[in-house]
Amino acid sequence: MPGAPSAPDAPGAAGTLPTGRCFGDGDPLYAAYHDHEWGRAVHGEHELFERMSLEAFQSGLAWITILRKRPAFREAFAGFDPRVVATFGDDDVARLLSDARIVRNRAKVAATIANARALVALWDSGRTLDELFWSFAPAGPRARPVTWANVPAKTTESAALARALKVAGFQFVGPTTAYAAMQACGLVDDHLVGCPAATP
């Protein structure tokens, strides 16, 4: 989730914001992300690679910062096409680290390129990121969180997903980042009780 252990720039443990959203009010971009993306199922290799990459870049930052920079990230990383990103070399790293529109963190840039290569290798082995990622979706119903204090920073499933990704060669995917990606991609739905985006 963007900004564990609570939702992106969450209002705190008191509950939802005045309009009913559990986060995102006050910024149209953030509200749209809350309403149409966070907690909704994401499938597809490029789509999952992008979400995982952005969650890694978000580490230590506010999610709204990454959200505002997402168009620039997409441009800088070739639309998060794994086969293209996997070919990035030193010149591309230098280009990315000089691009003020994105987060210029060498370790995160290097991890994104390494993860693209790991994904291509995964494909070459006959597997998919979609299959791997979604195999760690929690089974069965679970209680919807009432406040942000009820939302975990990591879970048993996210720890297992992080281990599986690391075995497959992915970097910058610890249990907390993995859980943020699980939330962003709809493997779990942590919209608070009473939030209009919460599914029954």
Side-chain angles (χ1 to χ4, degrees):
M1 147 178 69
S6 55
D9 301 329
T16 59
L17 290 167
T19 64
R21 286 190 186 92
C22 54
F23 69 85
D25 282 337
D27 186 305
L29 182 64
Y30 217 3
Y33 177 74
H34 168 278
D35 293 352
H36 305 295
E37 295 189 63
W38 197 72
R40 295 178 182 259
V42 174
H43 290 279
E45 303 298 281
H46 291 198
E47 293 82 357
L48 288 169
F49 176 62
E50 174 181 321
R51 296 295 182 90
M52 288 179 57
S53 299
L54 293 178
E55 290 295 343
F57 273 104
Q58 181 270 332
S59 180
L61 301 171
W63 178 248
I64 188 60
T65 300
I66 302 302
L67 199 58
R68 289 170 179 155
K69 292 177 178 288
R70 182 161 61 171
F73 271 111
R74 286 173 171 168
E75 182 180 339
F77 282 94
F80 287 99
D81 183 329
R83 291 198 185 279
V84 176
V85 177
T87 68
F88 281 9
D90 291 344
D91 289 345
D92 295 290
V93 172
R95 169 181 60 82
L96 292 165
L97 292 178
S98 67
D99 191 341
R101 302 172 306 153
I102 65 170
V103 175
R104 294 178 288 177
N105 179 295
R106 184 177 294 274
K108 294 175 181 180
V109 166
T112 302
I113 296 170
N115 290 349
R117 294 170 181 165
L119 180 48
V120 172
L122 192 71
W123 293 341
D124 290 344
S125 72
R127 303 167 67 197
T128 67
L129 181 59
D130 195 297
E131 173 189 28
L132 188 159
F133 203 77
W134 277 89
S135 70
F136 291 94
R142 65 178 199 156
R144 181 169 297 287
V146 177
T147 72
W148 296 120
N150 303 128
V151 179
K154 57 187 176 181
T155 61
T156 301
E157 292 88 356
S158 75
L161 172 58
R163 285 194 298 270
L165 288 168
K166 287 179 180 178
V167 167
F170 289 82
Q171 302 176 10
F172 229 101
V173 285
T176 300
T177 298
Y179 191 67
M182 291 172 72
Q183 291 173 308
C185 297
L187 279 74
V188 295
D189 177 1
D190 280 338
H191 286 285
L192 300 186
V193 168
C195 176
T199 55

